[in-house]
Amino acid sequence: MDSGLAQRLREGTRSLHRQTEGAGVMPALLRGTLPAAGFHRMQRNLQALYAALEPALQQWAEHPALAPLRQPALARAAVLAADLNALHGPDWASALPLMPTAQVYAERLQHLARDAPALLAAHSYVRYLGDLSGGQALGRVVRQAYGLVGSAGSSFFDFGPPEQVKAMAAQFRAALDALPLDAAQQQAQVDEARWAFGQHERLFEELAASL
Ligand code: HEM
Protein backbone atom coordinates (compact mmCIF):
# COMPACT_ATOMS: atom_id res chain seq x y z
CA MET A 1 0.00 0.00 0.00
CA ASP A 2 1.18 3.51 -0.77
CA SER A 3 1.79 5.58 2.32
CA GLY A 4 1.36 9.35 2.45
CA LEU A 5 4.15 11.88 2.68
CA ALA A 6 3.76 12.32 6.47
CA GLN A 7 4.37 8.61 7.00
CA ARG A 8 7.23 8.54 4.49
CA LEU A 9 8.93 11.41 6.27
CA ARG A 10 8.50 9.77 9.65
CA GLU A 11 9.85 6.43 8.48
CA GLY A 12 12.57 7.98 6.36
CA THR A 13 13.95 10.02 9.25
CA ARG A 14 13.26 7.71 12.21
CA SER A 15 16.79 6.39 12.62
CA LEU A 16 18.29 9.84 12.11
CA HIS A 17 15.89 11.27 14.69
CA ARG A 18 17.14 8.76 17.22
CA GLN A 19 20.74 9.63 16.37
CA THR A 20 20.02 13.35 16.67
CA GLU A 21 18.45 12.91 20.10
CA GLY A 22 21.75 11.48 21.31
CA ALA A 23 24.05 14.00 19.61
CA GLY A 24 26.27 16.60 21.26
CA VAL A 25 24.41 18.83 23.72
CA MET A 26 21.10 16.97 23.39
CA PRO A 27 21.42 14.30 26.11
CA ALA A 28 22.48 16.91 28.71
CA LEU A 29 19.72 19.25 27.59
CA LEU A 30 17.21 16.43 28.03
CA ARG A 31 18.54 15.62 31.50
CA GLY A 32 18.41 19.28 32.49
CA THR A 33 22.18 19.38 33.07
CA LEU A 34 23.34 21.45 30.11
CA PRO A 35 24.85 24.74 31.36
CA ALA A 36 22.58 27.70 30.60
CA ALA A 37 25.23 29.09 28.22
CA GLY A 38 24.82 25.97 26.08
CA PHE A 39 21.06 26.39 25.95
CA HIS A 40 21.43 30.04 24.95
CA ARG A 41 23.86 29.11 22.19
CA MET A 42 21.52 26.45 20.91
CA GLN A 43 18.57 28.82 20.78
CA ARG A 44 20.71 31.43 19.07
CA ASN A 45 21.64 28.96 16.34
CA LEU A 46 18.09 27.72 15.94
CA GLN A 47 16.98 31.34 15.63
CA ALA A 48 19.28 31.70 12.62
CA LEU A 49 17.56 28.73 10.97
CA TYR A 50 14.08 30.13 11.46
CA ALA A 51 15.28 33.57 10.39
CA ALA A 52 16.32 32.00 7.07
CA LEU A 53 13.34 29.65 6.74
CA GLU A 54 10.48 31.97 7.54
CA PRO A 55 11.11 34.81 5.06
CA ALA A 56 11.51 32.11 2.40
CA LEU A 57 8.16 30.57 3.37
CA GLN A 58 6.64 34.03 3.36
CA GLN A 59 8.07 34.74 -0.08
CA TRP A 60 6.54 31.51 -1.40
CA ALA A 61 3.32 31.65 0.64
CA GLU A 62 1.23 30.83 -2.44
CA HIS A 63 3.41 27.95 -3.66
CA PRO A 64 1.23 24.82 -4.00
CA ALA A 65 3.75 22.70 -2.06
CA LEU A 66 3.96 25.21 0.79
CA ALA A 67 0.65 27.05 1.11
CA PRO A 68 -1.23 24.08 2.66
CA LEU A 69 1.43 23.79 5.41
CA ARG A 70 1.14 27.39 6.44
CA GLN A 71 -0.01 28.03 10.00
CA PRO A 72 0.98 31.54 11.10
CA ALA A 73 1.13 30.46 14.77
CA LEU A 74 4.06 28.15 13.96
CA ALA A 75 6.45 31.03 13.18
CA ARG A 76 9.39 30.97 15.60
CA ALA A 77 12.01 33.51 14.45
CA ALA A 78 10.52 36.50 16.29
CA VAL A 79 9.52 34.41 19.30
CA LEU A 80 13.05 33.04 19.61
CA ALA A 81 14.54 36.51 19.26
CA ALA A 82 12.36 37.66 22.17
CA ASP A 83 13.45 34.62 24.22
CA LEU A 84 17.12 35.36 23.52
CA ASN A 85 16.60 38.94 24.54
CA ALA A 86 15.23 37.71 27.87
CA LEU A 87 17.79 34.92 28.31
CA HIS A 88 20.92 36.77 27.26
CA GLY A 89 20.16 40.41 26.55
CA PRO A 90 19.82 42.66 23.51
CA ASP A 91 23.30 41.86 22.14
CA TRP A 92 22.53 38.14 21.76
CA ALA A 93 22.99 38.13 17.97
CA SER A 94 26.55 39.42 18.13
CA ALA A 95 27.56 37.92 21.49
CA LEU A 96 26.41 34.32 21.01
CA PRO A 97 28.34 32.39 18.35
CA LEU A 98 26.78 31.26 15.12
CA MET A 99 28.12 27.78 14.38
CA PRO A 100 29.48 26.87 10.93
CA THR A 101 26.77 24.25 10.49
CA ALA A 102 24.01 26.77 11.19
CA GLN A 103 25.51 29.03 8.54
CA VAL A 104 25.61 26.20 6.01
CA TYR A 105 22.03 25.33 6.91
CA ALA A 106 20.86 28.94 6.49
CA GLU A 107 22.65 29.12 3.13
CA ARG A 108 20.93 25.94 2.01
CA LEU A 109 17.55 27.47 2.90
CA GLN A 110 18.38 30.61 0.95
CA HIS A 111 19.47 28.49 -2.00
CA LEU A 112 16.18 26.57 -1.91
CA ALA A 113 14.25 29.83 -1.69
CA ARG A 114 15.84 30.80 -5.01
CA ASP A 115 15.98 27.51 -6.87
CA ALA A 116 13.78 24.82 -5.31
CA PRO A 117 11.18 26.33 -2.97
CA ALA A 118 9.05 23.17 -2.80
CA LEU A 119 11.81 21.54 -0.72
CA LEU A 120 11.23 24.09 2.01
CA ALA A 121 8.32 21.79 2.93
CA ALA A 122 10.84 19.24 4.24
CA HIS A 123 12.44 21.89 6.44
CA SER A 124 9.05 22.97 7.76
CA TYR A 125 8.41 19.35 8.65
CA VAL A 126 11.72 18.88 10.48
CA ARG A 127 11.42 22.03 12.55
CA TYR A 128 7.73 22.62 13.11
CA LEU A 129 6.55 19.06 13.57
CA GLY A 130 9.54 18.55 15.87
CA ASP A 131 8.58 21.64 17.86
CA LEU A 132 5.02 20.36 18.15
CA SER A 133 6.19 16.85 19.16
CA GLY A 134 9.32 16.23 21.27
CA GLY A 135 9.78 19.99 21.65
CA GLN A 136 6.89 20.06 24.07
CA ALA A 137 8.57 17.70 26.55
CA LEU A 138 11.84 19.55 26.06
CA GLY A 139 10.09 22.80 26.99
CA ARG A 140 9.09 21.36 30.37
CA VAL A 141 12.66 20.23 31.10
CA VAL A 142 14.11 23.57 30.02
CA ARG A 143 11.72 25.66 32.14
CA GLN A 144 12.60 23.62 35.19
CA ALA A 145 16.34 23.43 34.53
CA TYR A 146 16.84 27.15 33.94
CA GLY A 147 14.16 28.37 36.35
CA LEU A 148 12.17 30.08 33.60
CA VAL A 149 8.91 31.46 34.89
CA GLY A 150 6.03 32.57 32.68
CA SER A 151 6.89 32.96 29.04
CA ALA A 152 10.17 34.89 29.40
CA GLY A 153 12.91 32.86 27.72
CA SER A 154 10.77 29.84 26.87
CA SER A 155 8.02 31.12 24.57
CA PHE A 156 9.74 29.16 21.78
CA PHE A 157 8.19 25.98 23.20
CA ASP A 158 4.73 27.46 23.62
CA PHE A 159 2.09 26.70 20.99
CA GLY A 160 -0.83 26.76 23.41
CA PRO A 161 -2.52 24.03 25.44
CA PRO A 162 -1.81 20.36 24.60
CA GLU A 163 -5.04 19.82 22.67
CA GLN A 164 -4.23 22.82 20.47
CA VAL A 165 -0.69 21.53 19.89
CA LYS A 166 -2.08 18.13 18.93
CA ALA A 167 -4.54 19.73 16.52
CA MET A 168 -1.79 21.81 14.90
CA ALA A 169 0.38 18.70 14.43
CA ALA A 170 -2.56 16.74 12.98
CA GLN A 171 -3.34 19.57 10.59
CA PHE A 172 0.30 19.75 9.52
CA ARG A 173 0.41 16.00 8.83
CA ALA A 174 -2.84 16.11 6.88
CA ALA A 175 -1.49 19.01 4.83
CA LEU A 176 1.71 17.06 4.09
CA ASP A 177 -0.37 14.16 2.81
CA ALA A 178 -2.41 16.47 0.57
CA LEU A 179 0.59 18.14 -1.12
CA PRO A 180 0.53 17.74 -4.91
CA LEU A 181 3.79 15.75 -5.14
CA ASP A 182 4.53 12.64 -7.16
CA ALA A 183 6.59 9.73 -5.81
CA ALA A 184 9.93 11.20 -6.94
CA GLN A 185 9.09 14.57 -5.47
CA GLN A 186 8.08 12.91 -2.20
CA GLN A 187 11.37 11.07 -2.12
CA ALA A 188 13.19 14.39 -2.65
CA GLN A 189 11.37 15.74 0.42
CA VAL A 190 12.48 12.73 2.48
CA ASP A 191 16.07 13.18 1.28
CA GLU A 192 15.96 16.86 2.18
CA ALA A 193 14.56 16.09 5.64
CA ARG A 194 17.34 13.55 6.16
CA TRP A 195 19.90 16.19 5.24
CA ALA A 196 18.30 18.55 7.76
CA PHE A 197 18.50 15.95 10.55
CA GLY A 198 22.18 15.39 9.74
CA GLN A 199 22.80 19.10 10.03
CA HIS A 200 21.10 19.18 13.42
CA GLU A 201 23.33 16.37 14.59
CA ARG A 202 26.42 18.28 13.48
CA LEU A 203 25.14 21.48 15.01
CA PHE A 204 24.56 19.83 18.39
CA GLU A 205 28.06 18.37 18.27
CA GLU A 206 29.60 21.75 17.42
CA LEU A 207 27.70 23.34 20.27
CA ALA A 208 28.96 20.69 22.72
CA ALA A 209 32.53 21.26 21.53
CA SER A 210 32.12 25.03 21.92
CA LEU A 211 31.37 24.88 25.68
C1 HEM B 1 16.24 15.33 22.81
C2 HEM B 1 15.64 15.70 21.79
C3 HEM B 1 14.37 15.17 21.24
C4 HEM B 1 13.39 14.41 21.78
C5 HEM B 1 13.31 13.87 23.18
C6 HEM B 1 12.40 14.19 20.77
C7 HEM B 1 11.25 13.46 20.94
C8 HEM B 1 10.27 13.31 20.01
C9 HEM B 1 9.03 12.60 20.21
C10 HEM B 1 8.61 11.91 21.49
C11 HEM B 1 8.34 12.67 19.07
C12 HEM B 1 6.96 12.08 18.81
C13 HEM B 1 7.08 10.83 18.01
C14 HEM B 1 5.71 10.34 17.53
O1 HEM B 1 4.75 11.12 17.49
O2 HEM B 1 5.65 9.21 17.16
C15 HEM B 1 9.13 13.43 18.14
C16 HEM B 1 8.75 13.72 16.86
C17 HEM B 1 9.48 14.49 16.01
N1 HEM B 1 10.70 15.07 16.26
FE1 HEM B 1 11.75 14.93 17.92
N2 HEM B 1 12.78 14.83 19.63
C18 HEM B 1 13.98 15.45 19.88
C19 HEM B 1 14.72 16.18 19.03
C20 HEM B 1 14.34 16.51 17.78
C21 HEM B 1 15.09 17.34 16.89
C22 HEM B 1 16.41 18.00 17.21
C23 HEM B 1 14.37 17.43 15.75
C24 HEM B 1 14.71 18.16 14.49
C25 HEM B 1 15.88 18.12 13.95
C26 HEM B 1 13.18 16.64 15.91
C27 HEM B 1 12.20 16.48 14.97
C28 HEM B 1 11.08 15.74 15.13
C29 HEM B 1 10.07 15.56 14.11
C30 HEM B 1 10.11 16.13 12.71
C31 HEM B 1 9.07 14.78 14.67
C32 HEM B 1 7.82 14.31 13.98
C33 HEM B 1 7.98 12.88 13.56
C34 HEM B 1 6.78 12.43 12.75
O3 HEM B 1 5.77 12.17 13.34
O4 HEM B 1 6.90 12.43 11.52
N3 HEM B 1 13.20 16.10 17.15
N4 HEM B 1 10.30 13.81 18.75
Side-chain angles (χ1 to χ4, degrees):
M1 205 183 76
D2 229 16
S3 56
L5 179 58
Q7 184 70 14
R8 282 179 187 223
L9 283 164
R10 175 182 280 180
E11 283 168 10
T13 60
R14 184 173 285 143
S15 62
L16 290 172
H17 183 284
R18 213 167 297 132
Q19 235 166 279
T20 309
E21 274 180 65
V25 291
M26 267 297 129
L29 184 71
L30 257 184
R31 283 195 305 269
T33 58
L34 182 70
F39 173 58
H40 299 175
R41 285 181 184 205
M42 185 171 97
Q43 298 306 78
R44 190 268 176 272
N45 280 270
L46 291 183
Q47 202 280 337
L49 303 191
Y50 292 97
L53 176 63
E54 288 170 1
L57 293 176
Q58 185 73 37
Q59 180 190 344
W60 292 99
E62 308 299 324
H63 192 290
L66 301 173
L69 300 176
R70 191 172 156 73
Q71 295 184 44
L74 288 174
R76 294 293 97 181
V79 170
L80 257 178
D83 280 354
L84 283 158
N85 215 34
L87 292 168
H88 178 87
D91 67 339
W92 60 267
S94 55
L96 299 174
L98 192 58
M99 297 295 152
T101 292
Q103 286 177 40
V104 169
Y105 201 137
E107 281 160 20
R108 172 78 183 159
L109 294 168
Q110 282 150 8
H111 161 74
L112 294 180
R114 280 191 308 272
D115 297 336
L119 288 177
L120 295 168
H123 291 281
S124 296
Y125 163 76
V126 171
R127 283 304 335 163
Y128 297 132
L129 211 48
D131 296 338
L132 294 170
S133 306
Q136 295 300 291
L138 212 51
R140 286 189 287 277
V141 175
V142 159
R143 284 190 193 98
Q144 167 112 31
Y146 305 116
L148 303 175
V149 181
S151 64
S154 68
S155 50
F156 170 69
F157 300 99
D158 187 6
F159 294 93
E163 47 301 352
Q164 188 172 313
V165 176
K166 259 177 105 171
M168 289 170 81
Q171 186 184 324
F172 196 93
R173 283 203 179 88
L176 281 172
D177 284 342
L179 294 183
L181 301 173
D182 64 24
Q185 290 166 324
Q186 290 196 1
Q187 185 56 47
Q189 297 285 353
V190 174
D191 292 343
E192 189 68 22
R194 289 175 59 85
W195 180 87
F197 269 97
Q199 288 297 106
H200 278 80
E201 198 181 335
R202 274 188 286 285
L203 173 62
F204 297 154
E205 279 159 7
E206 281 175 6
L207 286 167
S210 81
L211 293 173

